Amino acid sequence: MYKFTQNSEYLFFKILNYDSLLTSNNLFIDYLKTSSYYIMINTNGNILGKNINYNLTSLYITYIRTNIWEIKYISNSGFLFLNKNLKRKYLLYKKIFISNKKGNIIPGVLIPNKNRNMKIDIGTQDLKEVYSLGINLGDKVGLQEDFSIFNKKYLLSNEITNKIGLFILWEIIKTNINFIIIKSKITKLYLMNYLVKLSFLINNTLKILDVFLKKTLGKEVISFCKRNNLNIKIFKKKKFIYYIINVNIKYLQSPIEMILKSEIEKIINLIIWVIKNV
């Protein structure tokens, strides 16, 4: 039975603040370096798994959403401008970091601009001072993520929906059960091997994880969801069966997204139970 621990909390914080998403490094690849004894990567870079074969359950991270932008313009007065317009008001005065070509991290803050776009203030007064920090056009910009725990049971951050799927997958990997991970688009030809698709959604909106199975789950998975107060919907399309598990999060897509630890535990325990029982 999976339980949220202090190590889980630390991992959650690290994933939310993982700055190598700004570089050519990849969180999956970094994990491989420390776990190569039971995980391998396919030659095309699409599949990670242990003893890859068609008898294993397939897990798929639908999205790893990141708020990563690039510097498009630097003004003579030392302000930086992004390659995308950011119109979400909650981003105003949010702290950011810039990753330059040398891998250095430079802090800054998003501030409003006259034409409703946002610019970045890094405490510089002219172009020369910006360049002296090693900052150039095309450098990556990301949010500095905050993380708190409320009442010992709620996880709070403005990036939970972006990276919760990755956290769940990583925690499942630690249990050392047999499955394969697909981190690119899945072809219809591949899906012909599976009859059941188990999807996890946040607030009926954002998909965070898919599990593909070769045989139906039947009443067992419904019973599991009822015992653990998981909201499940089932529908059929031709010979395929689709299970939708919905998990609620407070303040969706705001600076203060909140989710119960117990909700994450339910998802992970369901996936582990499914993989072990199909």
Side-chain angles (χ1 to χ4, degrees):
M1 180 70 72
Y2 170 82
K3 295 292 292 183
F4 221 95
T5 64
Q6 285 188 332
N7 286 337
S8 301
E9 292 170 359
Y10 179 69
L11 173 62
F12 201 87
F13 167 75
K14 290 294 288 183
I15 286 178
L16 290 171
N17 290 272
Y18 199 79
D19 56 27
S20 73
L21 286 169
L22 294 174
T23 70
S24 58
N25 294 327
N26 184 287
L27 191 55
F28 286 101
I29 304 303
D30 287 354
Y31 189 84
L32 280 177
K33 292 176 182 177
T34 59
S35 305
S36 58
Y37 59 94
Y38 77 94
I39 299 178
M40 59 184 292
I41 187 164
N42 208 21
T43 52
N44 61 10
N46 289 339
I47 300 176
L48 309 177
K50 176 184 178 182
N51 299 323
I52 293 178
N53 60 64
Y54 289 107
N55 294 320
L56 299 182
T57 300
S58 173
L59 271 71
Y60 172 62
I61 296 183
T62 310
Y63 301 107
I64 302 174
R65 305 172 185 85
T66 56
N67 287 324
I68 304 297
W69 309 287
E70 293 182 359
I71 296 173
K72 182 179 181 180
Y73 173 72
I74 304 173
S75 70
N76 291 327
S77 54
F79 290 109
L80 313 178
F81 296 83
L82 301 176
N83 63 330
K84 291 183 179 179
N85 295 337
L86 307 180
K87 298 181 180 180
R88 287 174 287 180
K89 291 183 179 179
Y90 78 78
L91 290 176
L92 286 176
Y93 303 104
K94 289 287 293 183
K95 290 187 291 184
I96 57 92
F97 55 76
I98 302 165
S99 177
N100 66 13
K101 298 298 187 296
K102 295 182 179 179
N104 298 324
I105 301 296
I106 297 98
V109 63
L110 288 169
I111 58 176
N113 197 25
K114 290 182 180 179
N115 58 3
R116 295 185 181 181
N117 298 333
M118 291 188 220
K119 58 185 178 181
I120 298 172
D121 189 349
I122 56 172
T124 51
Q125 296 181 339
D126 53 42
L127 273 171
K128 183 178 179 180
E129 194 174 358
V130 173
Y131 292 142
S132 71
L133 295 174
I135 297 174
N136 286 284
L137 300 181
D139 284 350
K140 305 294 184 181
V141 177
L143 295 175
Q144 291 188 32
E145 307 307 343
D146 297 318
F147 176 67
S148 302
I149 301 174
F150 279 12
N151 197 21
K152 298 181 180 180
K153 60 182 181 179
Y154 276 99
L155 304 177
L156 181 145
S157 172
N158 66 317
E159 285 293 284
I160 288 177
T161 50
N162 285 9
K163 298 173 185 175
I164 189 174
L166 182 55
F167 170 78
I168 290 170
L169 182 62
W170 206 331
E171 289 289 86
I172 293 170
I173 286 173
K174 287 160 57 177
T175 65
N176 200 23
I177 57 177
N178 287 323
F179 59 90
I180 61 175
I181 306 165
I182 304 172
K183 64 184 182 72
S184 68
K185 291 184 178 179
I186 303 174
T187 65
K188 291 183 178 179
L189 181 63
Y190 180 85
L191 291 180
M192 288 176 65
N193 294 305
Y194 297 92
L195 293 175
V196 179
K197 179 180 177 182
L198 177 62
S199 299
F200 295 85
L201 274 64
I202 293 287
N203 290 33
N204 288 309
T205 305
L206 300 175
K207 188 184 293 184
I208 57 173
L209 200 71
D210 285 325
V211 181
F212 296 94
L213 305 165
K214 291 190 174 182
K215 69 176 185 179
T216 59
L217 301 172
K219 297 179 180 178
E220 293 86 354
V221 70
I222 300 172
S223 177
F224 183 98
C225 291
K226 286 183 177 179
R227 290 197 308 270
N228 292 277
N229 295 315
L230 279 171
N231 185 352
I232 182 170
K233 295 180 181 178
I234 304 169
F235 64 94
K236 295 182 180 180
K237 187 177 180 181
K238 296 182 179 178
K239 66 175 182 177
F240 298 102
I241 300 177
Y242 297 85
Y243 294 81
I244 308 296
I245 306 293
N246 186 55
V247 180
N248 289 316
I249 192 169
K250 288 187 175 182
Y251 318 120
L252 179 67
Q253 294 182 320
S254 79
I256 48 171
E257 293 178 342
M258 293 174 62
I259 188 169
L260 282 165
K261 292 182 189 178
S262 58
E263 290 295 294
I264 300 176
E265 289 174 347
K266 291 174 185 177
I267 295 174
I268 294 175
N269 280 319
L270 174 58
I271 295 173
I272 293 172
W273 180 87
V274 165
I275 294 174
K276 286 182 176 180
N277 286 277
V278 294

